[in-house]
């Protein structure tokens, strides 16, 4: 198997104390018009900044919302994964994009709106925004990316880095296998669906699996979650997972991480965990925190959960 060589990346060219101003190039909704959720694809024009050519797919940028929090202090930076490849959105190095869900929550009969996500979602082309970054030094494609197969697990906006990575891989002649397993509540929440359907029809090694959690149940009554595909699509996934040159990337809700770990353990796919550590004999008896304390990702497993 080829050695996994992670690229050297630039970190924190801009910091919360020394932000950079970008402008909004485009901001459009990517959830279907009948969805009660609002997810947007937002592209920043970073022309003239030191971010040009220095943001790698898998990395994040920080957004500084204007104004103060309820304690009268300036808002903190919020991190967003970039959804554009290394070459920039649409191949333009002066543009980088991200994928943002408006956070709306009701608590004690009041509606709470996420500060940064709603600020970003409301911005119009030409508006200015303060950015930091880039950040993230491990959740990256290897430099020798075309030597590996990939299984990408995403829920919701966790798809952002995979939009970038899939574009990156196929732009550089990738011809091994890549599976994207995407989870969301309803079909109306599928993100970048038509583009992904196209990639699947054009690239024989690409598979796009959808886990729709709230429309129907699996035969045993459980929800269709990304990790249940490891069982339900075993004939596709297991042979790939057994190959020593397959890498797993996980991005999205924290809960899926231990769900995936439990499935990998059940199928005795131990190569994704750090060798030399005892593996749990009965993972079902451990809670999520205990499981994550025992298992550390090997070099073939990349995790970004929140
Ligand atoms: P559900 O909420 O039906 O339980 P979004 O970010 O768009 O809300 O999507 C998140 C998706 O991840 C939903 O389909 C959600 O299902 C699913 N999900 C929730 N908890 C877990 C978990 N522990 N493991 C995997 N998927 C999960």
């Amino acid at each position: 198997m080829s050695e996994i060589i992670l690229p050297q990346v630039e970190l924190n060219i801009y910091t919360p104390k020394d932000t950079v101003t970008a402008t909004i190039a485009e901001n459009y909704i990517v959830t279907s018009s009948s969805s009660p959720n609002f997810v947007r694809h937002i592209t920043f024009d970073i022309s003239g900044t030191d971010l040009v050519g220095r943001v790698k797919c898998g990395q994040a940028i920080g957004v500084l919302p204007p104004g103060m929090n309820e304690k009268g202090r300036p808002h903190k930076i919020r991190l967003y994964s970039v959804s554009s490849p290394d070459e920039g959105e649409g191949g333009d190095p002066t543009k980088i994009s991200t994928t943002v869900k408006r956070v709306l929550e009701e608590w004690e009969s009041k509606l709470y709106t996420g500060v940064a996500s709603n600020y970003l979602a409301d911005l119009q082309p030409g508006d200015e925004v303060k950015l930091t970054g880039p950040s993230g030094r491990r959740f990256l494609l290897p430099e020798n990316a075309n030597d590996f197969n990939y299984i990408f697990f995403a829920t919701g906006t966790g798809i952002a880095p995979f939009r970038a990575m899939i574009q990156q891989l196929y732009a550089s002649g990738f011809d091994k296998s890549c599976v994207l397993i995407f989870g969301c509540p309803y079909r109306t929440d599928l993100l970048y669906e038509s583009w992904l359907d196209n990639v699947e029809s054009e690239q024989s090694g690409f598979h796009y699996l959808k886990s729709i959690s709230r429309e129907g149940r699996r035969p045993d009554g459980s929800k269709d979650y990304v990790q249940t595909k490891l069982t339900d699509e075993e004939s596709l996934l297991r042979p790939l997972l057994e190959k020593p040159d397959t890498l797993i990337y996980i991005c999205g809700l924290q809960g899926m991480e231990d769900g995936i770990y439990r499935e990998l353990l059940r199928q005795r796919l131990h190569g994704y965990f750090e060798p030399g550590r005892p593996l749990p004999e009965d993972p079902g008896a451990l809670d999520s925190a205990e499981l994550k304390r025992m298992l550390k990702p090997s070099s073939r497993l990349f995790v970004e959960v929140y």
Side-chain angles (χ1 to χ4, degrees), residues 18 80 103 107 133 196 200 247 262:
D18 176 26
Y80 291 91
V103 177
W107 192 60
L196 288 163
E200 190 175 38
L247 311 182
R262 287 178 205 277

Side-chain angles (χ1 to χ4, degrees), residues 2-300:
S2 301
E3 192 192 345
I4 302 165
I5 306 164
L6 289 184
Q8 291 292 321
V9 288
E10 304 252 9
L11 293 171
N12 306 317
I13 301 170
Y14 297 103
T15 62
K17 289 208 171 89
D18 176 26
T19 58
V20 68
T21 301
T23 53
I24 300 294
E26 55 177 1
N27 181 349
Y28 59 85
I29 204 144
V30 284
T31 28
S32 116
S33 56
S34 55
S35 172
N37 297 310
F38 307 103
V39 179
R40 296 184 155 265
H41 182 75
I42 301 180
T43 303
F44 303 97
D45 185 338
I46 53 167
S47 305
T49 77
D50 289 340
L51 292 176
V52 175
R54 290 188 166 133
V55 183
K56 290 242 170 223
C57 56
Q59 286 194 298
I61 46 156
V63 170
L64 182 62
M68 305 284 174
N69 64 20
E70 63 286 355
K71 292 183 186 147
R73 300 203 188 103
H75 283 302
K76 293 215 165 94
I77 293 285
R78 308 305 206 273
L79 294 181
Y80 291 91
S81 286
V82 297
S83 46
S84 46
D86 297 2
E87 288 69 29
E89 179 71 10
D92 177 351
T94 66
K95 307 278 189 319
I96 54 172
S97 61
T98 186
T99 312
V100 179
K101 179 179 184 176
R102 270 190 199 273
V103 177
L104 306 170
E105 272 165 18
E106 194 191 83
W107 192 60
E108 294 185 343
S109 302
K110 283 196 178 140
L111 180 67
Y112 290 86
T113 53
V115 171
S117 66
N118 284 281
Y119 160 67
L120 277 175
D122 287 346
L123 291 173
Q124 303 289 318
D127 286 347
E128 292 190 339
V129 57
K130 287 184 173 163
L131 303 181
T132 66
S135 62
R137 61 167 89 230
R138 172 143 205 276
F139 195 85
L140 302 164
L141 281 180
E143 223 160 61
N144 47 341
N146 293 354
D147 292 351
F148 303 95
N149 303 297
Y150 297 90
I151 302 195
F152 295 148
F153 290 93
T155 56
T157 53
I159 197 162
F162 303 133
R163 176 185 184 266
M165 289 176 181
I166 292 163
Q167 289 191 10
Q168 182 79 26
L169 288 169
Y170 288 109
S172 63
F174 176 75
D175 64 356
K176 293 180 67 117
S177 296
C178 176
V179 184
L180 171 69
I181 307 170
F182 179 71
C184 61
Y186 300 101
R187 247 156 236 288
T188 50
D189 302 310
L190 287 164
L191 302 177
Y192 305 115
E193 184 191 12
S194 56
W195 169 66
L196 288 163
D197 283 338
N198 273 341
V199 180
E200 190 175 38
S201 61
E202 281 166 12
Q203 304 291 345
S204 59
F206 183 74
H207 302 271
Y208 174 32
L209 308 181
K210 302 163 192 175
S211 289
I212 312 289
S213 60
R214 300 189 199 168
E215 293 182 25
R217 296 270 163 163
R218 297 171 65 238
D220 69 358
S222 65
K223 282 184 162 183
D224 186 353
Y225 276 170
V226 287
Q227 61 268 33
T228 60
K229 287 285 186 275
L230 290 167
T231 309
D232 298 348
E233 298 288 341
E234 193 176 328
S235 57
L236 167 71
L237 295 173
R238 197 181 161 91
L240 208 51
L241 284 159
E242 283 173 342
K243 291 187 179 170
D245 56 355
T246 295
L247 311 182
I248 293 181
Y249 288 65
I250 302 173
C251 186
L253 282 186
Q254 205 159 25
M256 74 171 149
E257 187 185 356
D258 67 274
I260 294 168
Y261 289 3
R262 287 178 205 277
E263 270 304 313
L264 293 174
L265 287 173
R266 195 184 62 73
Q267 297 193 26
R268 308 194 66 76
L269 293 160
H270 294 160
Y272 299 93
F273 303 111
E274 199 176 88
R277 298 172 71 96
L279 292 170
E281 275 170 29
D282 180 11
L286 300 177
D287 69 22
S288 165
E290 288 168 324
L291 193 71
K292 277 186 255 165
R293 248 195 317 276
M294 283 195 81
L295 297 172
K296 295 289 168 235
S298 74
S299 58
R300 293 169 58 199

